[in-house]
Amino acid sequence: MCIAINSPKGTEPTKSALKESFINNPHGGGFAYAKKNKIIVKKGFETFKDFYAEYKNANIQGLNKLIHFRIKTSGKINYDNCHPFYVTANLVMIHNGIIPNFGNDEVSDTREFISMVLKPIILKHGINILNNPTFINTIEDIIGGSKLVFLDNLGNTYYVNKDLGHDNNKIWYSNDSYMNYTQYYIESDNSYEFDSCKLCNDCGQIMDKSVDLTYCEECNEYDKIYNPYHFN
């Protein structure tokens, strides 16, 4: 399901938040920022060490930035399906969720949605259409509970379904997977303790403890052993 993060100018996610995001969404990390009227995208990181080294080297605390960590739903685990994605030369996007009726075994739902829907519209009408409430409502109807964040070459941010995420220290997160589960359940005032948790490799749900952490109720199947991957 991934995690999408927007860290505005003057903010910085903690290293632990970024690392937890990567652990829970391990199929490729990336980030984007605007500098001198140009968008710069760095993505396809297979390890947190590589991601964090490049992220810190970019020295972008003073800039508005998008950060994304992927967990596979549709499409292969490879560089091409990593976020952020260019929509146009002056606009990039990250996504959290599953967009119905888009994506296949090769191409992710996000990539296909951009190429088939967003790119033609924005090329025709311009980036400012992202400020049009009617257009945003239409996109929300198509994507359901998914969340989209856009960044243009001037450093402006645009959201679809922003209210489905939340702010923490002025940073927007699309879900809670940047937290460790102890922290999450304390903040949620839930007394259930997760000792030896395991996540489903397909959807990211916590495995059922009653069946040796191998059964995912969301996928309705037993999890296969996850093997380390390398991008094609």
Side-chain angles (χ1 to χ4, degrees):
M1 295 288 283
C2 310
I3 182 169
I5 303 169
N6 176 216
S7 175
K9 180 179 179 180
T11 67
E12 189 76 48
T14 64
K15 182 177 181 179
S16 62
L18 293 173
K19 187 172 184 179
E20 198 71 27
S21 296
F22 189 92
I23 290 170
N24 293 325
N25 305 276
H27 296 155
F31 62 94
Y33 57 97
K35 190 173 184 179
K36 297 181 179 179
N37 296 332
K38 181 180 179 181
I39 296 177
I40 299 171
V41 173
K42 303 286 186 178
K43 68 177 185 176
F45 298 102
E46 301 178 43
T47 68
F48 179 73
K49 180 180 179 180
D50 289 343
F51 166 86
Y52 195 68
E54 188 69 28
Y55 177 78
K56 294 302 289 183
N57 185 60
N59 192 26
I60 54 176
Q61 182 179 6
L63 300 175
N64 190 10
K65 48 207 170 287
L66 303 184
I67 305 168
H68 190 275
F69 299 99
R70 182 183 184 228
I71 190 165
K72 175 186 179 297
T73 49
S74 60
K76 287 185 174 181
I77 299 173
N78 59 21
Y79 177 90
D80 290 338
N81 285 322
C82 281
H83 306 225
F85 294 102
Y86 281 98
V87 181
T88 69
N90 292 322
L91 187 71
V92 293
M93 190 195 85
I94 55 177
H95 163 229
N96 170 214
I98 299 174
I99 303 176
N101 304 314
F102 288 88
N104 52 54
D105 290 342
E106 297 286 330
V107 178
S108 72
D109 54 339
T110 313
R111 279 180 65 198
E112 191 166 74
F113 182 68
I114 289 172
S115 65
M116 295 180 65
V117 179
L118 291 176
K119 184 175 182 177
I121 292 173
I122 292 174
L123 284 175
K124 181 176 181 179
H125 298 282
I127 293 174
N128 195 50
I129 197 171
L130 295 173
N131 291 315
N132 185 312
T134 301
F135 174 72
I136 295 301
N137 289 338
T138 300
I139 296 300
E140 288 175 350
D141 288 342
I142 296 171
I143 68 173
S146 284
K147 289 144 277 188
L148 310 179
V149 194
F150 300 84
L151 179 72
D152 69 19
N153 63 311
L154 300 178
N156 300 310
T157 305
Y158 312 84
Y159 290 88
V160 179
N161 282 332
K162 181 178 182 180
D163 291 345
L164 298 183
H166 66 272
D167 289 315
N168 188 340
N169 292 326
K170 299 182 180 180
I171 300 171
W172 184 86
Y173 297 90
S174 63
N175 58 46
D176 296 306
S177 63
Y178 66 97
M179 299 181 181
N180 63 55
Y181 285 106
T182 300
Q183 177 188 1
Y184 172 72
Y185 272 82
I186 287 174
E187 294 194 9
S188 301
D189 195 27
N190 189 315
S191 60
Y192 188 82
E193 294 182 1
F194 285 92
D195 50 343
S196 303
C197 288
K198 186 175 185 292
L199 299 180
C200 175
N201 290 315
D202 290 324
C203 72
Q205 290 288 99
I206 298 169
M207 294 299 193
D208 189 344
K209 295 181 71 173
S210 65
V211 283
D212 300 323
L213 299 173
T214 61
Y215 182 75
C216 178
E217 293 181 345
E218 185 74 14
C219 296
N220 194 30
E221 63 182 21
Y222 286 88
D223 192 33
K224 297 178 181 178
I225 297 175
Y226 176 71
N227 295 315
Y229 69 92
H230 295 284
F231 292 158
N232 296 331

